[in-house]
mmCIF file with all atom_site columns, all heavy atoms in Angstrom:
data_model
loop_
_atom_site.group_PDB
_atom_site.id
_atom_site.type_symbol
_atom_site.label_atom_id
_atom_site.label_alt_id
_atom_site.label_comp_id
_atom_site.label_asym_id
_atom_site.label_entity_id
_atom_site.label_seq_id
_atom_site.pdbx_PDB_ins_code
_atom_site.Cartn_x
_atom_site.Cartn_y
_atom_site.Cartn_z
_atom_site.occupancy
_atom_site.B_iso_or_equiv
_atom_site.pdbx_formal_charge
_atom_site.auth_seq_id
_atom_site.auth_comp_id
_atom_site.auth_asym_id
_atom_site.auth_atom_id
_atom_site.pdbx_PDB_model_num
ATOM 1   N N   . ALA A 1 1  ? 0.833  -1.207 0.000  1.00 0.00 ? 1  ALA A N   1
ATOM 2   C CA  . ALA A 1 1  ? 0.000  0.000  0.000  1.00 0.00 ? 1  ALA A CA  1
ATOM 3   C C   . ALA A 1 1  ? 0.867  1.256  0.000  1.00 0.00 ? 1  ALA A C   1
ATOM 4   O O   . ALA A 1 1  ? 0.515  2.268  -0.616 1.00 0.00 ? 1  ALA A O   1
ATOM 5   C CB  . ALA A 1 1  ? -0.936 -0.003 1.211  1.00 0.00 ? 1  ALA A CB  1
ATOM 6   N N   . ILE A 1 2  ? 2.007  1.199  0.689  1.00 0.00 ? 2  ILE A N   1
ATOM 7   C CA  . ILE A 1 2  ? 2.939  2.326  0.696  1.00 0.00 ? 2  ILE A CA  1
ATOM 8   C C   . ILE A 1 2  ? 3.611  2.457  -0.661 1.00 0.00 ? 2  ILE A C   1
ATOM 9   O O   . ILE A 1 2  ? 3.685  3.537  -1.251 1.00 0.00 ? 2  ILE A O   1
ATOM 10  C CB  . ILE A 1 2  ? 3.987  2.149  1.807  1.00 0.00 ? 2  ILE A CB  1
ATOM 11  C CG1 . ILE A 1 2  ? 3.330  2.204  3.193  1.00 0.00 ? 2  ILE A CG1 1
ATOM 12  C CG2 . ILE A 1 2  ? 5.084  3.208  1.701  1.00 0.00 ? 2  ILE A CG2 1
ATOM 13  C CD1 . ILE A 1 2  ? 4.260  1.873  4.342  1.00 0.00 ? 2  ILE A CD1 1
ATOM 14  N N   . HIS A 1 3  ? 4.126  1.335  -1.174 1.00 0.00 ? 3  HIS A N   1
ATOM 15  C CA  . HIS A 1 3  ? 4.983  1.367  -2.352 1.00 0.00 ? 3  HIS A CA  1
ATOM 16  C C   . HIS A 1 3  ? 4.205  1.559  -3.647 1.00 0.00 ? 3  HIS A C   1
ATOM 17  O O   . HIS A 1 3  ? 4.652  2.291  -4.541 1.00 0.00 ? 3  HIS A O   1
ATOM 18  C CB  . HIS A 1 3  ? 5.784  0.064  -2.431 1.00 0.00 ? 3  HIS A CB  1
ATOM 19  C CG  . HIS A 1 3  ? 6.776  0.035  -3.546 1.00 0.00 ? 3  HIS A CG  1
ATOM 20  N ND1 . HIS A 1 3  ? 7.923  0.800  -3.533 1.00 0.00 ? 3  HIS A ND1 1
ATOM 21  C CD2 . HIS A 1 3  ? 6.798  -0.663 -4.706 1.00 0.00 ? 3  HIS A CD2 1
ATOM 22  C CE1 . HIS A 1 3  ? 8.610  0.571  -4.638 1.00 0.00 ? 3  HIS A CE1 1
ATOM 23  N NE2 . HIS A 1 3  ? 7.952  -0.300 -5.369 1.00 0.00 ? 3  HIS A NE2 1
ATOM 24  N N   . HIS A 1 4  ? 3.061  0.912  -3.779 1.00 0.00 ? 4  HIS A N   1
ATOM 25  C CA  . HIS A 1 4  ? 2.342  0.904  -5.043 1.00 0.00 ? 4  HIS A CA  1
ATOM 26  C C   . HIS A 1 4  ? 1.243  1.961  -5.121 1.00 0.00 ? 4  HIS A C   1
ATOM 27  O O   . HIS A 1 4  ? 0.578  2.056  -6.162 1.00 0.00 ? 4  HIS A O   1
ATOM 28  C CB  . HIS A 1 4  ? 1.734  -0.470 -5.291 1.00 0.00 ? 4  HIS A CB  1
ATOM 29  C CG  . HIS A 1 4  ? 2.754  -1.551 -5.486 1.00 0.00 ? 4  HIS A CG  1
ATOM 30  N ND1 . HIS A 1 4  ? 3.655  -1.542 -6.519 1.00 0.00 ? 4  HIS A ND1 1
ATOM 31  C CD2 . HIS A 1 4  ? 3.028  -2.664 -4.759 1.00 0.00 ? 4  HIS A CD2 1
ATOM 32  C CE1 . HIS A 1 4  ? 4.442  -2.614 -6.443 1.00 0.00 ? 4  HIS A CE1 1
ATOM 33  N NE2 . HIS A 1 4  ? 4.079  -3.302 -5.378 1.00 0.00 ? 4  HIS A NE2 1
ATOM 34  N N   . GLY A 1 5  ? 1.040  2.730  -4.071 1.00 0.00 ? 5  GLY A N   1
ATOM 35  C CA  . GLY A 1 5  ? 0.020  3.762  -4.113 1.00 0.00 ? 5  GLY A CA  1
ATOM 36  C C   . GLY A 1 5  ? 0.329  4.806  -5.167 1.00 0.00 ? 5  GLY A C   1
ATOM 37  O O   . GLY A 1 5  ? 1.477  4.967  -5.598 1.00 0.00 ? 5  GLY A O   1
ATOM 38  N N   . PRO A 1 6  ? -0.668 5.560  -5.615 1.00 0.00 ? 6  PRO A N   1
ATOM 39  C CA  . PRO A 1 6  ? -0.474 6.520  -6.709 1.00 0.00 ? 6  PRO A CA  1
ATOM 40  C C   . PRO A 1 6  ? 0.233  7.804  -6.301 1.00 0.00 ? 6  PRO A C   1
ATOM 41  O O   . PRO A 1 6  ? 0.684  8.553  -7.168 1.00 0.00 ? 6  PRO A O   1
ATOM 42  C CB  . PRO A 1 6  ? -1.910 6.818  -7.145 1.00 0.00 ? 6  PRO A CB  1
ATOM 43  C CG  . PRO A 1 6  ? -2.725 6.615  -5.897 1.00 0.00 ? 6  PRO A CG  1
ATOM 44  C CD  . PRO A 1 6  ? -2.071 5.467  -5.189 1.00 0.00 ? 6  PRO A CD  1
ATOM 45  N N   . LYS A 1 7  ? 0.333  8.077  -4.995 1.00 0.00 ? 7  LYS A N   1
ATOM 46  C CA  . LYS A 1 7  ? 0.932  9.328  -4.543 1.00 0.00 ? 7  LYS A CA  1
ATOM 47  C C   . LYS A 1 7  ? 2.427  9.139  -4.277 1.00 0.00 ? 7  LYS A C   1
ATOM 48  O O   . LYS A 1 7  ? 2.848  8.106  -3.745 1.00 0.00 ? 7  LYS A O   1
ATOM 49  C CB  . LYS A 1 7  ? 0.279  9.804  -3.242 1.00 0.00 ? 7  LYS A CB  1
ATOM 50  C CG  . LYS A 1 7  ? -1.226 9.666  -3.167 1.00 0.00 ? 7  LYS A CG  1
ATOM 51  C CD  . LYS A 1 7  ? -1.955 10.674 -4.017 1.00 0.00 ? 7  LYS A CD  1
ATOM 52  C CE  . LYS A 1 7  ? -3.469 10.564 -3.794 1.00 0.00 ? 7  LYS A CE  1
ATOM 53  N NZ  . LYS A 1 7  ? -4.229 11.527 -4.601 1.00 0.00 ? 7  LYS A NZ  1
ATOM 54  N N   . PRO A 1 8  ? 3.265  10.130 -4.594 1.00 0.00 ? 8  PRO A N   1
ATOM 55  C CA  . PRO A 1 8  ? 4.665  10.064 -4.203 1.00 0.00 ? 8  PRO A CA  1
ATOM 56  C C   . PRO A 1 8  ? 4.791  10.011 -2.677 1.00 0.00 ? 8  PRO A C   1
ATOM 57  O O   . PRO A 1 8  ? 4.048  10.684 -1.955 1.00 0.00 ? 8  PRO A O   1
ATOM 58  C CB  . PRO A 1 8  ? 5.262  11.363 -4.749 1.00 0.00 ? 8  PRO A CB  1
ATOM 59  C CG  . PRO A 1 8  ? 4.314  11.809 -5.813 1.00 0.00 ? 8  PRO A CG  1
ATOM 60  C CD  . PRO A 1 8  ? 2.959  11.352 -5.369 1.00 0.00 ? 8  PRO A CD  1
ATOM 61  N N   . THR A 1 9  ? 5.731  9.198  -2.201 1.00 0.00 ? 9  THR A N   1
ATOM 62  C CA  . THR A 1 9  ? 5.919  9.026  -0.762 1.00 0.00 ? 9  THR A CA  1
ATOM 63  C C   . THR A 1 9  ? 7.343  9.385  -0.374 1.00 0.00 ? 9  THR A C   1
ATOM 64  O O   . THR A 1 9  ? 8.298  9.123  -1.111 1.00 0.00 ? 9  THR A O   1
ATOM 65  C CB  . THR A 1 9  ? 5.626  7.579  -0.342 1.00 0.00 ? 9  THR A CB  1
ATOM 66  O OG1 . THR A 1 9  ? 6.406  6.682  -1.144 1.00 0.00 ? 9  THR A OG1 1
ATOM 67  C CG2 . THR A 1 9  ? 4.155  7.248  -0.520 1.00 0.00 ? 9  THR A CG2 1
ATOM 68  N N   . ILE A 1 10 ? 7.473  9.980  0.821  1.00 0.00 ? 10 ILE A N   1
ATOM 69  C CA  . ILE A 1 10 ? 8.782  10.376 1.360  1.00 0.00 ? 10 ILE A CA  1
ATOM 70  C C   . ILE A 1 10 ? 8.933  9.764  2.743  1.00 0.00 ? 10 ILE A C   1
ATOM 71  O O   . ILE A 1 10 ? 8.051  9.918  3.597  1.00 0.00 ? 10 ILE A O   1
ATOM 72  C CB  . ILE A 1 10 ? 8.909  11.912 1.486  1.00 0.00 ? 10 ILE A CB  1
ATOM 73  C CG1 . ILE A 1 10 ? 8.622  12.603 0.143  1.00 0.00 ? 10 ILE A CG1 1
ATOM 74  C CG2 . ILE A 1 10 ? 10.298 12.293 2.004  1.00 0.00 ? 10 ILE A CG2 1
ATOM 75  C CD1 . ILE A 1 10 ? 8.532  14.126 0.260  1.00 0.00 ? 10 ILE A CD1 1
ATOM 76  N N   . ALA A 1 11 ? 10.050 9.079  2.979  1.00 0.00 ? 11 ALA A N   1
ATOM 77  C CA  . ALA A 1 11 ? 10.384 8.604  4.325  1.00 0.00 ? 11 ALA A CA  1
ATOM 78  C C   . ALA A 1 11 ? 11.271 9.646  4.997  1.00 0.00 ? 11 ALA A C   1
ATOM 79  O O   . ALA A 1 11 ? 12.308 10.033 4.445  1.00 0.00 ? 11 ALA A O   1
ATOM 80  C CB  . ALA A 1 11 ? 11.101 7.263  4.257  1.00 0.00 ? 11 ALA A CB  1
ATOM 81  N N   . ARG A 1 12 ? 10.857 10.090 6.165  1.00 0.00 ? 12 ARG A N   1
ATOM 82  C CA  . ARG A 1 12 ? 11.619 11.066 6.968  1.00 0.00 ? 12 ARG A CA  1
ATOM 83  C C   . ARG A 1 12 ? 12.276 10.264 8.097  1.00 0.00 ? 12 ARG A C   1
ATOM 84  O O   . ARG A 1 12 ? 11.619 9.887  9.058  1.00 0.00 ? 12 ARG A O   1
ATOM 85  C CB  . ARG A 1 12 ? 10.665 12.125 7.520  1.00 0.00 ? 12 ARG A CB  1
ATOM 86  C CG  . ARG A 1 12 ? 11.303 13.142 8.457  1.00 0.00 ? 12 ARG A CG  1
ATOM 87  C CD  . ARG A 1 12 ? 10.208 13.931 9.164  1.00 0.00 ? 12 ARG A CD  1
ATOM 88  N NE  . ARG A 1 12 ? 10.728 14.935 10.079 1.00 0.00 ? 12 ARG A NE  1
ATOM 89  C CZ  . ARG A 1 12 ? 11.118 14.687 11.328 1.00 0.00 ? 12 ARG A CZ  1
ATOM 90  N NH1 . ARG A 1 12 ? 11.052 13.439 11.804 1.00 0.00 ? 12 ARG A NH1 1
ATOM 91  N NH2 . ARG A 1 12 ? 11.568 15.656 12.102 1.00 0.00 ? 12 ARG A NH2 1
ATOM 92  N N   . VAL A 1 13 ? 13.576 10.028 7.982  1.00 0.00 ? 13 VAL A N   1
ATOM 93  C CA  . VAL A 1 13 ? 14.244 9.065  8.851  1.00 0.00 ? 13 VAL A CA  1
ATOM 94  C C   . VAL A 1 13 ? 15.199 9.768  9.816  1.00 0.00 ? 13 VAL A C   1
ATOM 95  O O   . VAL A 1 13 ? 16.135 10.450 9.379  1.00 0.00 ? 13 VAL A O   1
ATOM 96  C CB  . VAL A 1 13 ? 15.032 8.029  8.022  1.00 0.00 ? 13 VAL A CB  1
ATOM 97  C CG1 . VAL A 1 13 ? 15.672 6.994  8.943  1.00 0.00 ? 13 VAL A CG1 1
ATOM 98  C CG2 . VAL A 1 13 ? 14.124 7.358  7.003  1.00 0.00 ? 13 VAL A CG2 1
ATOM 99  N N   . GLN A 1 14 ? 14.957 9.558  11.102 1.00 0.00 ? 14 GLN A N   1
ATOM 100 C CA  . GLN A 1 14 ? 15.875 10.039 12.133 1.00 0.00 ? 14 GLN A CA  1
ATOM 101 C C   . GLN A 1 14 ? 16.164 8.904  13.108 1.00 0.00 ? 14 GLN A C   1
ATOM 102 O O   . GLN A 1 14 ? 15.412 7.934  13.169 1.00 0.00 ? 14 GLN A O   1
ATOM 103 C CB  . GLN A 1 14 ? 15.279 11.247 12.881 1.00 0.00 ? 14 GLN A CB  1
ATOM 104 C CG  . GLN A 1 14 ? 14.350 10.929 14.043 1.00 0.00 ? 14 GLN A CG  1
ATOM 105 C CD  . GLN A 1 14 ? 12.962 10.483 13.621 1.00 0.00 ? 14 GLN A CD  1
ATOM 106 O OE1 . GLN A 1 14 ? 12.704 10.186 12.468 1.00 0.00 ? 14 GLN A OE1 1
ATOM 107 N NE2 . GLN A 1 14 ? 12.041 10.438 14.589 1.00 0.00 ? 14 GLN A NE2 1
ATOM 108 N N   . GLY A 1 15 ? 17.259 8.994  13.814 1.00 0.00 ? 15 GLY A N   1
ATOM 109 C CA  . GLY A 1 15 ? 17.578 7.979  14.817 1.00 0.00 ? 15 GLY A CA  1
ATOM 110 C C   . GLY A 1 15 ? 17.963 6.664  14.178 1.00 0.00 ? 15 GLY A C   1
ATOM 111 O O   . GLY A 1 15 ? 19.020 6.552  13.562 1.00 0.00 ? 15 GLY A O   1
ATOM 112 N N   . VAL A 1 16 ? 17.096 5.659  14.300 1.00 0.00 ? 16 VAL A N   1
ATOM 113 C CA  . VAL A 1 16 ? 17.391 4.352  13.740 1.00 0.00 ? 16 VAL A CA  1
ATOM 114 C C   . VAL A 1 16 ? 16.255 3.870  12.856 1.00 0.00 ? 16 VAL A C   1
ATOM 115 O O   . VAL A 1 16 ? 15.089 4.209  13.060 1.00 0.00 ? 16 VAL A O   1
ATOM 116 C CB  . VAL A 1 16 ? 17.655 3.287  14.840 1.00 0.00 ? 16 VAL A CB  1
ATOM 117 C CG1 . VAL A 1 16 ? 18.908 3.631  15.632 1.00 0.00 ? 16 VAL A CG1 1
ATOM 118 C CG2 . VAL A 1 16 ? 16.452 3.126  15.755 1.00 0.00 ? 16 VAL A CG2 1
ATOM 119 N N   . ALA A 1 17 ? 16.632 3.067  11.857 1.00 0.00 ? 17 ALA A N   1
ATOM 120 C CA  . ALA A 1 17 ? 15.694 2.278  11.069 1.00 0.00 ? 17 ALA A CA  1
ATOM 121 C C   . ALA A 1 17 ? 16.247 0.868  11.084 1.00 0.00 ? 17 ALA A C   1
ATOM 122 O O   . ALA A 1 17 ? 17.302 0.607  10.499 1.00 0.00 ? 17 ALA A O   1
ATOM 123 C CB  . ALA A 1 17 ? 15.582 2.809  9.646  1.00 0.00 ? 17 ALA A CB  1
ATOM 124 N N   . LEU A 1 18 ? 15.568 -0.012 11.791 1.00 0.00 ? 18 LEU A N   1
ATOM 125 C CA  . LEU A 1 18 ? 16.065 -1.372 11.985 1.00 0.00 ? 18 LEU A CA  1
ATOM 126 C C   . LEU A 1 18 ? 15.068 -2.374 11.416 1.00 0.00 ? 18 LEU A C   1
ATOM 127 O O   . LEU A 1 18 ? 13.857 -2.187 11.530 1.00 0.00 ? 18 LEU A O   1
ATOM 128 C CB  . LEU A 1 18 ? 16.279 -1.655 13.473 1.00 0.00 ? 18 LEU A CB  1
ATOM 129 C CG  . LEU A 1 18 ? 17.138 -0.658 14.264 1.00 0.00 ? 18 LEU A CG  1
ATOM 130 C CD1 . LEU A 1 18 ? 17.194 -1.053 15.728 1.00 0.00 ? 18 LEU A CD1 1
ATOM 131 C CD2 . LEU A 1 18 ? 18.536 -0.557 13.673 1.00 0.00 ? 18 LEU A CD2 1
ATOM 132 N N   . GLY A 1 19 ? 15.577 -3.460 10.835 1.00 0.00 ? 19 GLY A N   1
ATOM 133 C CA  . GLY A 1 19 ? 14.707 -4.524 10.351 1.00 0.00 ? 19 GLY A CA  1
ATOM 134 C C   . GLY A 1 19 ? 13.616 -3.985 9.452  1.00 0.00 ? 19 GLY A C   1
ATOM 135 O O   . GLY A 1 19 ? 13.876 -3.391 8.401  1.00 0.00 ? 19 GLY A O   1
ATOM 136 N N   . GLY A 1 20 ? 12.366 -4.190 9.869  1.00 0.00 ? 20 GLY A N   1
ATOM 137 C CA  . GLY A 1 20 ? 11.244 -3.706 9.090  1.00 0.00 ? 20 GLY A CA  1
ATOM 138 C C   . GLY A 1 20 ? 11.230 -2.207 8.910  1.00 0.00 ? 20 GLY A C   1
ATOM 139 O O   . GLY A 1 20 ? 10.608 -1.696 7.974  1.00 0.00 ? 20 GLY A O   1
ATOM 140 N N   . GLY A 1 21 ? 11.929 -1.467 9.784  1.00 0.00 ? 21 GLY A N   1
ATOM 141 C CA  . GLY A 1 21 ? 12.053 -0.023 9.603  1.00 0.00 ? 21 GLY A CA  1
ATOM 142 C C   . GLY A 1 21 ? 12.818 0.316  8.339  1.00 0.00 ? 21 GLY A C   1
ATOM 143 O O   . GLY A 1 21 ? 12.504 1.291  7.650  1.00 0.00 ? 21 GLY A O   1
ATOM 144 N N   . VAL A 1 22 ? 13.832 -0.501 8.016  1.00 0.00 ? 22 VAL A N   1
ATOM 145 C CA  . VAL A 1 22 ? 14.531 -0.343 6.736  1.00 0.00 ? 22 VAL A CA  1
ATOM 146 C C   . VAL A 1 22 ? 13.564 -0.623 5.599  1.00 0.00 ? 22 VAL A C   1
ATOM 147 O O   . VAL A 1 22 ? 13.559 0.077  4.582  1.00 0.00 ? 22 VAL A O   1
ATOM 148 C CB  . VAL A 1 22 ? 15.750 -1.283 6.664  1.00 0.00 ? 22 VAL A CB  1
ATOM 149 C CG1 . VAL A 1 22 ? 16.389 -1.229 5.279  1.00 0.00 ? 22 VAL A CG1 1
ATOM 150 C CG2 . VAL A 1 22 ? 16.775 -0.925 7.733  1.00 0.00 ? 22 VAL A CG2 1
ATOM 151 N N   . GLY A 1 23 ? 12.726 -1.645 5.762  1.00 0.00 ? 23 GLY A N   1
ATOM 152 C CA  . GLY A 1 23 ? 11.736 -1.956 4.741  1.00 0.00 ? 23 GLY A CA  1
ATOM 153 C C   . GLY A 1 23 ? 10.775 -0.813 4.495  1.00 0.00 ? 23 GLY A C   1
ATOM 154 O O   . GLY A 1 23 ? 10.431 -0.518 3.342  1.00 0.00 ? 23 GLY A O   1
ATOM 155 N N   . LEU A 1 24 ? 10.344 -0.150 5.551  1.00 0.00 ? 24 LEU A N   1
ATOM 156 C CA  . LEU A 1 24 ? 9.446  0.997  5.399  1.00 0.00 ? 24 LEU A CA  1
ATOM 157 C C   . LEU A 1 24 ? 10.117 2.109  4.607  1.00 0.00 ? 24 LEU A C   1
ATOM 158 O O   . LEU A 1 24 ? 9.498  2.712  3.722  1.00 0.00 ? 24 LEU A O   1
ATOM 159 C CB  . LEU A 1 24 ? 9.023  1.518  6.771  1.00 0.00 ? 24 LEU A CB  1
ATOM 160 C CG  . LEU A 1 24 ? 8.063  0.647  7.584  1.00 0.00 ? 24 LEU A CG  1
ATOM 161 C CD1 . LEU A 1 24 ? 7.923  1.194  9.000  1.00 0.00 ? 24 LEU A CD1 1
ATOM 162 C CD2 . LEU A 1 24 ? 6.699  0.569  6.911  1.00 0.00 ? 24 LEU A CD2 1
ATOM 163 N N   . ALA A 1 25 ? 11.383 2.403  4.927  1.00 0.00 ? 25 ALA A N   1
ATOM 164 C CA  . ALA A 1 25 ? 12.108 3.445  4.202  1.00 0.00 ? 25 ALA A CA  1
ATOM 165 C C   . ALA A 1 25 ? 12.291 3.064  2.745  1.00 0.00 ? 25 ALA A C   1
ATOM 166 O O   . ALA A 1 25 ? 12.141 3.895  1.837  1.00 0.00 ? 25 ALA A O   1
ATOM 167 C CB  . ALA A 1 25 ? 13.457 3.704  4.864  1.00 0.00 ? 25 ALA A CB  1
ATOM 168 N N   . ALA A 1 26 ? 12.611 1.780  2.495  1.00 0.00 ? 26 ALA A N   1
ATOM 169 C CA  . ALA A 1 26 ? 12.838 1.326  1.127  1.00 0.00 ? 26 ALA A CA  1
ATOM 170 C C   . ALA A 1 26 ? 11.550 1.281  0.318  1.00 0.00 ? 26 ALA A C   1
ATOM 171 O O   . ALA A 1 26 ? 11.582 1.418  -0.911 1.00 0.00 ? 26 ALA A O   1
ATOM 172 C CB  . ALA A 1 26 ? 13.496 -0.053 1.143  1.00 0.00 ? 26 ALA A CB  1
ATOM 173 N N   . ALA A 1 27 ? 10.418 1.090  0.984  1.00 0.00 ? 27 ALA A N   1
ATOM 174 C CA  . ALA A 1 27 ? 9.133  1.040  0.281  1.00 0.00 ? 27 ALA A CA  1
ATOM 175 C C   . ALA A 1 27 ? 8.687  2.412  -0.192 1.00 0.00 ? 27 ALA A C   1
ATOM 176 O O   . ALA A 1 27 ? 7.881  2.516  -1.127 1.00 0.00 ? 27 ALA A O   1
ATOM 177 C CB  . ALA A 1 27 ? 8.060  0.422  1.174  1.00 0.00 ? 27 ALA A CB  1
ATOM 178 N N   . CYS A 1 28 ? 9.185  3.467  0.440  1.00 0.00 ? 28 CYS A N   1
ATOM 179 C CA  . CYS A 1 28 ? 8.843  4.823  0.018  1.00 0.00 ? 28 CYS A CA  1
ATOM 180 C C   . CYS A 1 28 ? 9.628  5.193  -1.237 1.00 0.00 ? 28 CYS A C   1
ATOM 181 O O   . CYS A 1 28 ? 10.714 4.672  -1.492 1.00 0.00 ? 28 CYS A O   1
ATOM 182 C CB  . CYS A 1 28 ? 9.137  5.822  1.138  1.00 0.00 ? 28 CYS A CB  1
ATOM 183 S SG  . CYS A 1 28 ? 8.031  5.694  2.560  1.00 0.00 ? 28 CYS A SG  1
ATOM 184 N N   . ASP A 1 29 ? 9.099  6.123  -2.015 1.00 0.00 ? 29 ASP A N   1
ATOM 185 C CA  . ASP A 1 29 ? 9.757  6.533  -3.250 1.00 0.00 ? 29 ASP A CA  1
ATOM 186 C C   . ASP A 1 29 ? 11.047 7.287  -2.980 1.00 0.00 ? 29 ASP A C   1
ATOM 187 O O   . ASP A 1 29 ? 12.027 7.148  -3.726 1.00 0.00 ? 29 ASP A O   1
ATOM 188 C CB  . ASP A 1 29 ? 8.816  7.423  -4.072 1.00 0.00 ? 29 ASP A CB  1
ATOM 189 C CG  . ASP A 1 29 ? 7.535  6.714  -4.453 1.00 0.00 ? 29 ASP A CG  1
ATOM 190 O OD1 . ASP A 1 29 ? 7.620  5.550  -4.899 1.00 0.00 ? 29 ASP A OD1 1
ATOM 191 O OD2 . ASP A 1 29 ? 6.452  7.309  -4.300 1.00 0.00 ? 29 ASP A OD2 1
ATOM 192 N N   . ILE A 1 30 ? 11.061 8.089  -1.941 1.00 0.00 ? 30 ILE A N   1
ATOM 193 C CA  . ILE A 1 30 ? 12.203 8.943  -1.615 1.00 0.00 ? 30 ILE A CA  1
ATOM 194 C C   . ILE A 1 30 ? 12.453 8.830  -0.123 1.00 0.00 ? 30 ILE A C   1
ATOM 195 O O   . ILE A 1 30 ? 11.501 8.811  0.667  1.00 0.00 ? 30 ILE A O   1
ATOM 196 C CB  . ILE A 1 30 ? 11.919 10.410 -2.002 1.00 0.00 ? 30 ILE A CB  1
ATOM 197 C CG1 . ILE A 1 30 ? 11.635 10.516 -3.515 1.00 0.00 ? 30 ILE A CG1 1
ATOM 198 C CG2 . ILE A 1 30 ? 13.069 11.328 -1.610 1.00 0.00 ? 30 ILE A CG2 1
ATOM 199 C CD1 . ILE A 1 30 ? 11.023 11.835 -3.934 1.00 0.00 ? 30 ILE A CD1 1
ATOM 200 N N   . ALA A 1 31 ? 13.725 8.746  0.277  1.00 0.00 ? 31 ALA A N   1
ATOM 201 C CA  . ALA A 1 31 ? 14.068 8.665  1.701  1.00 0.00 ? 31 ALA A CA  1
ATOM 202 C C   . ALA A 1 31 ? 15.110 9.726  2.024  1.00 0.00 ? 31 ALA A C   1
ATOM 203 O O   . ALA A 1 31 ? 16.128 9.848  1.327  1.00 0.00 ? 31 ALA A O   1
ATOM 204 C CB  . ALA A 1 31 ? 14.595 7.281  2.057  1.00 0.00 ? 31 ALA A CB  1
ATOM 205 N N   . ILE A 1 32 ? 14.847 10.479 3.085  1.00 0.00 ? 32 ILE A N   1
ATOM 206 C CA  . ILE A 1 32 ? 15.771 11.514 3.564  1.00 0.00 ? 32 ILE A CA  1
ATOM 207 C C   . ILE A 1 32 ? 16.095 11.200 5.011  1.00 0.00 ? 32 ILE A C   1
ATOM 208 O O   . ILE A 1 32 ? 15.198 10.936 5.818  1.00 0.00 ? 32 ILE A O   1
ATOM 209 C CB  . ILE A 1 32 ? 15.142 12.912 3.442  1.00 0.00 ? 32 ILE A CB  1
ATOM 210 C CG1 . ILE A 1 32 ? 14.752 13.187 1.982  1.00 0.00 ? 32 ILE A CG1 1
ATOM 211 C CG2 . ILE A 1 32 ? 16.093 13.990 3.952  1.00 0.00 ? 32 ILE A CG2 1
ATOM 212 C CD1 . ILE A 1 32 ? 13.986 14.473 1.786  1.00 0.00 ? 32 ILE A CD1 1
ATOM 213 N N   . ALA A 1 33 ? 17.386 11.209 5.362  1.00 0.00 ? 33 ALA A N   1
ATOM 214 C CA  . ALA A 1 33 ? 17.813 10.798 6.701  1.00 0.00 ? 33 ALA A CA  1
ATOM 215 C C   . ALA A 1 33 ? 18.694 11.854 7.339  1.00 0.00 ? 33 ALA A C   1
ATOM 216 O O   . ALA A 1 33 ? 19.342 12.660 6.656  1.00 0.00 ? 33 ALA A O   1
ATOM 217 C CB  . ALA A 1 33 ? 18.583 9.472  6.614  1.00 0.00 ? 33 ALA A CB  1
#
């Protein structure tokens, strides 16, 4: 739902992204950390 949705998505990443948190960032179109 995150990755294939029609709207552009941005992951706003601070602190840590671990395990599935990396997956959430990777599923977004753009990631800024």
